[in-house]
Structures are given as C-alpha cells and as structure tokens.
Amino acid sequence: MTFWETITGSDLTREYQAFEARAKALPAEYQDAWEQIKLHLTPYGDFTGRNLMPILDGALGLLEETAGDGQSVRDVLGDDVKGFCAALAGGEGSRDHRDRWREQLNRNVARKLARLGG
C-alpha cells in the first residue's frame, strides 16, 4: 500500500470490490446475510472504515466456508445478526461512533464548565 493509496482510500475501494465479487458467488440466502452484516457493522467503523476490513474479510470467509459445507445461515449466524456483528466488532456492548462522539462532547462541555466555574 502506497502513501497515495492510503490518502485516497483506493486500496479500500479495491478490497471492498473484491469482497463484493466474492459475495456474489454465494447462494442467495448468504448474500442477504452479507448485506445484513455490512449494515450492522458500519456503525463500528472509524472515519475511513479501514478498521472494518479485516472483520468483513473474516465474516465473508465464514459465510463462504459454511456455504461450502451446506449449512444454513441461521445455523451459522443465529437469529440475531445485529448481536453477531456487535460480537465481531468487539463484544456485545462495544462502543460505536455515537458513543465515542458523545463521550468527546461530554468531555468538552465539562472542560468548558470547569473554566467558567473556576
């Protein structure tokens, strides 16, 4: 990965397109699960989404392997895809971008109030 690829994100675009090509080879049930996984993992991404690429790769690999074994999506992911994605992103109750922004806002407000009050 070159500096220019890092700045422009072109490396991420290529990697994401490769994920999509792999996902199109999956059965329809698994393609739907892939769409759900992407939807539910997005809130855990950083500004660029770079931190999600290894997680997405692992999730897609799991789908490919289990589709090859003939298992159903429900057997693999269970009934709670959102919970599955939260566990992939760092465990149930892991912080998403809203939590981080809220904490940052609270720190900034507390700092301003401390300056005003004291």
Side-chain angles (χ1 to χ4, degrees):
M1 174 173 42
T2 66
F3 176 74
W4 184 251
E5 288 175 329
T6 303
I7 296 299
T8 63
S10 63
D11 61 321
L12 294 176
T13 302
R14 279 194 307 276
E15 191 172 355
Y16 191 77
Q17 288 169 344
F19 290 162
E20 290 301 315
R22 288 169 52 195
K24 284 186 181 185
L26 293 171
E29 179 185 28
Y30 280 86
Q31 289 179 20
D32 293 341
W34 172 245
E35 293 300 321
Q36 289 291 316
I37 288 171
K38 291 187 310 185
L39 174 74
H40 292 301
L41 278 177
T42 301
Y44 298 101
D46 59 9
F47 180 71
T48 64
R50 192 171 298 278
N51 68 321
L52 291 181
M53 297 313 262
I55 297 170
L56 289 170
D57 185 35
L60 186 56
L62 174 67
L63 292 177
E64 289 170 330
E65 186 175 324
T66 55
D69 291 343
Q71 294 179 307
S72 76
V73 171
R74 187 171 292 232
D75 291 340
V76 178
L77 303 179
D79 293 329
D80 184 17
V81 177
K82 187 174 183 177
F84 174 81
C85 291
L88 279 179
E92 192 65 42
S94 64
R95 298 173 353 144
D96 62 10
H97 66 277
R98 287 182 208 101
D99 295 328
R100 291 188 296 266
W101 290 341
R102 186 178 301 115
E103 288 174 7
Q104 182 180 3
L105 177 65
N106 287 340
R107 280 193 307 272
N108 291 342
V109 168
R111 208 172 319 144
K112 298 267 185 198
L113 288 174
R115 281 189 219 150
L116 291 175

